[in-house]
Structure formats: C-alpha cells, structure tokens
Amino acid sequence: MLRTTKEQAAGMIPGAALVEPPDLNRATPKDLNVQLTAVQQEVMISGKKVLAETYNGSLVGPTLHVVPGQRVTLKLANHLGTSTNLHYHGMHLSPEGSADNIDLSVKPGQIQTYHLDIPANQEPGTYWYHDHEMCDGNGRPMPGMTMSPAPAKSPAPANVRCNGTESQIGAGLSGTIIVGDSRETLPPAYRGITAHTLALKDTQISSSSSIVYPDGVLEPAEPTVRLVNGQYQPTLTMKAGETQLWRIANEDYAIAYDLQLDGGTFTVVNQDGIPAAAPARAKHLLMPPGRRFDVLVTAGATGSTWLRTLAHKTGPDPFNGAGDEYPDTPLMKVNVQKDSGNAGPAATAGRAGMATSPQIAGPLPGSHPDLSKEPIARSRSIVLNDDAGNHFWINGKLFDHTKPTFAEPATLGTVEEWTLTNKAHQNHPFHLHVAPFQVLSVNGVAQPRADYMDVVSVPHAVNGKPGKVVIRIRFTDFTGKWFFHCHITGHEDTGMMGYLNVIAAG
C-alpha cells in the first residue's frame, strides 16, 4: 500500500540539529559490565510525546561500544509486561549458553546476564541489537525456550505474555553496536574524520499517542513516519569540502530504505560490519531490515541537500498483498557551511550541497577472502514462500522450534553453498545468525568479489519465475543452532524461520 506520513507526523517539529544516540558506555579495551533495562515509557519524538518500549528510556537504544578480544557482561532487566530477550545481530558469538542465544527468554521482573566474548578477529564496523523473543502464536514463549533463572525483587508472573519480535522492535526495542572503529581501516587521511551514527526507524503512532503496539497491530503497509536517531527530519551540518563517515543502520522491524543523497554519492567502506574488499561509490543504498553501511560522504559547495529514501516497492502488486509500496520521503537535511580553511576543490565544485565521495583503494584490512573457488562440503536449498496473507514458510514448512530445517548438520571448518529461492510475490530479506555470507549471484547475475553481508534481499517471483540468490558460508568457531529467517519480523514471527545444527569436525 502507499504509505503517507503527514497525519502520523502531526505535532512533530522538523529541523532540529541531529543528535547522536546515547552511549551505553565509552569505548575501552577493558572488560565491560553494562546493563540494559527494557521499560515502557513516554519519549519525545521531535516535540511530540509518545509512549514506547525502550532500552534505558531511549527510543533508539543506547550504543554499545566494544573492541575485539573484550569480555562483555551485559545484564538485561525486563520491566515490560511481556517476555523479551536479546540478539546481537551480525556479531560472531556463540549461539549457545549465555551468549547470543535466542532460546533464552526473560520474564517480566527478571534479569538475564549475557556473557559476550568478542572474538579477537571480530571485524570493526556497525552492528545492532534487538529483541528476538519467539512466541507460539498464542501469546506464549515457544516450547524449548529457557526462562531466565535470575529473579528481580518481585517474582515473575506464572503466565507470561509473549508479544514477539515484530511488536517489540516496532515499539522501539533496538540499538546500535559499534565494534572498534572502521575509520582505522581507512587510509591515514581519513582516520581522524568526524563520524556519525544514523539509526533508521519508522514509527506508527495510535490515536492515544503510543506506538501502535500494544493497542493495535503494526502493519508495514500502514501510514508511518520515518525517523533518524529517533528524530523527525533532523539537520546535519558539514563544512564545504569536508569528508565524514556515516554509520547507517536499518534498525526497523520490517520496512526497507532506498537511500539517496541528493546531488551526491556514497563511498561504501563497510557493509554489515565487514570492511570492503573493493570500496565503491554508490548513488543509492538499498537497505532491507537489518542492513548496515559505513560510508564516506564529502560536502560540496555551501547550501543544503537531503538524505532521502526513494520510492520503493517490495512486490509487483502491493494492493493485493504482494509486497508493500513506500513513497519518496526526505529523512535528514544536510546543511553545508563555508569552511574558512583550505577545503579543496570539492568546496567549490558542482552544485550546492554534496559533491562526489572519495575513491578508496581496497581491499581494506579485515575484508574477507573470496569463497567462489573454495571446495564445497555441501549444497543446500532454501525455498521461501507465502500465501500473500499471514502464512510464511521455508521449504514448505512453518518454523518448528524442536526440529532443524535440515537433518544433516554442517561441520565446523567447511564451506557450504546455499541457493535461496523466493517463490512469493514479495521480496524476503534473508538473515543468518552467527556469521556473514558471501553473495555469489542474484537472479543469475554475478556479484562483486567478496561481497559479504548478513542480510540479503531475495527478489520476488516474476511471471512465475522465482527469484534466486546463491550464497556461500564458512562455518567457524561455534557449534549449536545457527538460525536463519526472513528479517521482515512479522514473517519471521509467523513461520519463515529455521535453523541448522552445526557440529565439530569428527
């Protein structure tokens, strides 16, 4: 459906200076002890008071800063009326124990302690965290979920309401993780430049001034308002000729962004937390839910321009359940001011606003090797489909928490090739936990070498011909359940999820 924002944005005041999301901690090489408190409370969205679900009282959760080799002890205190948990999206962490284990479930009034051993070789870049509570469709945690054992001052209720991932992320429960500093992977001239975090979210506000959940149902096709760092159309200021690093993350529950910087380009230096093997300029960035980009932008002559999301459809016929349609929407104004120093040719070249971004030679430190010539231990097929309604399947089956999608496990140290086939009439963004993958081809078109990511949009079927994406994955370090799912969280919640058991070499 066509999405509009005027009514949803009523009462919001655009144009305030961009504010960075709050920091949960300062970057340090020392081991960390931090806490996130999930609580429902009122927040201010550009002058409008709205009831939301928050981490530590912030609509955009506080940014967690970690460094490779660090031990992070993170306590999640649940002050909500529903069970909840955490997933550390894109991080290479164990899916078992008290690490990135989405089988854990934290009841209202309880605290779960996560122990995160950040690998020494974790790539510097932008990641995010969010709720990943799995429900059975009847408002209860799925069988097999492990309830948090640590009680808070008040005992947990016997019957726990379970609202699911879509509702909780949509109501506000997500935030950014920054590993190291991706500027350190760049040539020396760029290591001291200004960096900004741009967390993209949308919000649907009810007549009672709360984010639609819990007094309604989130729906990607309904009117919404797009936010940057929880602000409505904020303003970022740059100096003419200045180059900055923007860490852009789609921390939304369902909605895609197709970003354009009017009059300018982006230089992509990091994608989904992986430094680029071949940094390239891009006129726009397609960002399904969960995607992140670290990009360089260079301001041109004095004036102003806009970061916007372009009109975009996720299927051929949004009015009949085949995808959603999003309008062209301005997100953030960029004001370029005069620089009294020597700003270089970009300060006077071209139109007012943004100039061409820099060219950076690769590969950058931390980029991943090409898997296209690696021996393949096993090939697998994952078929995504839906009924254009509320039923979503992988390989013809709804998610079963008690059974892996494949009987045959994967083995540590091996590389597998998976073919993702989308028979549905809407795009499905595919996400794999624990490790990124290399995309070899999309609908038969070869992709750039070592183009790694952890979310890829699998194109919809056209005239009965399914969309196809071929990926390769190297299984390293961690045994256990490696989950995968559509990252439109409503699809995930209603069945489009599975997992693969990963075992040690025999």
Side-chain angles (χ1 to χ4, degrees), residues 357-445:
S357 54
Q359 182 65 56
I360 304 293
L364 297 179
S367 60
H368 283 201
D370 185 9
L371 296 179
S372 63
K373 305 301 181 184
E374 292 273 343
I376 300 303
R378 189 183 300 272
S379 296
R380 301 184 194 265
S381 176
I382 292 180
V383 179
L384 310 174
N385 207 348
D386 63 60
D387 65 355
N390 293 317
H391 298 93
F392 301 89
W393 307 282
I394 290 180
N395 291 357
K397 297 180 180 179
L398 296 173
F399 175 58
D400 184 342
H401 192 273
T402 66
K403 295 180 181 178
T405 304
F406 300 99
E408 306 83 3
T411 303
L412 288 181
T414 66
V415 174
E416 294 192 354
E417 182 171 291
W418 294 8
T419 299
L420 314 176
T421 301
N422 185 1
K423 292 185 176 181
H425 295 289
Q426 60 181 310
N427 300 342
H428 286 297
F430 176 88
H431 170 52
L432 174 69
H433 290 204
V434 186
F437 45 80
Q438 181 180 348
V439 177
L440 299 186
S441 65
V442 177
N443 281 345
V445 179

Side-chain angles (χ1 to χ4, degrees), residues 170-191:
L173 293 184
S174 62
T176 311
I177 303 172
I178 295 177
V179 177
D181 188 340
S182 59
R183 289 173 292 187
E184 295 301 313
T185 68
L186 302 176
Y190 299 98
R191 293 178 187 172

Side-chain angles (χ1 to χ4, degrees), residues 221-423:
E222 292 300 315
T224 191
V225 58
R226 307 279 188 122
L227 304 174
V228 179
N229 293 352
Q231 296 173 268
Y232 177 58
Q233 296 183 0
T235 298
L236 182 150
T237 299
M238 300 178 69
K239 294 179 180 179
E242 179 187 10
T243 297
Q244 294 185 350
L245 179 80
W246 293 357
R247 300 175 174 123
I248 309 173
N250 183 352
E251 300 179 7
D252 219 335
Y253 69 99
I255 293 175
Y257 289 75
D258 191 2
L259 295 185
Q260 174 181 285
L261 188 58
D262 291 348
T265 57
F266 308 96
T267 298
V268 178
V269 296
N270 190 296
Q271 178 177 244
D272 285 359
I274 309 300
R281 292 191 183 107
K283 291 185 177 181
H284 69 110
L285 304 172
L286 184 59
M287 300 186 69
R291 173 65 52 78
R292 292 94 59 214
F293 286 104
D294 286 11
V295 298
L296 296 176
V297 295
T298 302
T302 56
S304 63
T305 190
W306 282 90
L307 176 70
R308 68 176 63 250
T309 180
L310 301 175
H312 178 65
K313 293 199 300 185
T314 63
D317 189 3
F319 293 97
N320 288 307
D324 294 307
E325 183 176 353
Y326 310 119
D328 185 299
T329 304
L331 299 175
M332 181 179 74
K333 190 175 184 179
V334 182
N335 277 344
V336 180
Q337 298 179 345
K338 184 178 181 180
D339 184 4
S340 58
N342 181 14
T348 56
R351 55 169 287 176
M354 309 310 295
T356 300
S357 54
Q359 182 65 56
I360 304 293
L364 297 179
S367 60
H368 283 201
D370 185 9
L371 296 179
S372 63
K373 305 301 181 184
E374 292 273 343
I376 300 303
R378 189 183 300 272
S379 296
R380 301 184 194 265
S381 176
I382 292 180
V383 179
L384 310 174
N385 207 348
D386 63 60
D387 65 355
N390 293 317
H391 298 93
F392 301 89
W393 307 282
I394 290 180
N395 291 357
K397 297 180 180 179
L398 296 173
F399 175 58
D400 184 342
H401 192 273
T402 66
K403 295 180 181 178
T405 304
F406 300 99
E408 306 83 3
T411 303
L412 288 181
T414 66
V415 174
E416 294 192 354
E417 182 171 291
W418 294 8
T419 299
L420 314 176
T421 301
N422 185 1
K423 292 185 176 181

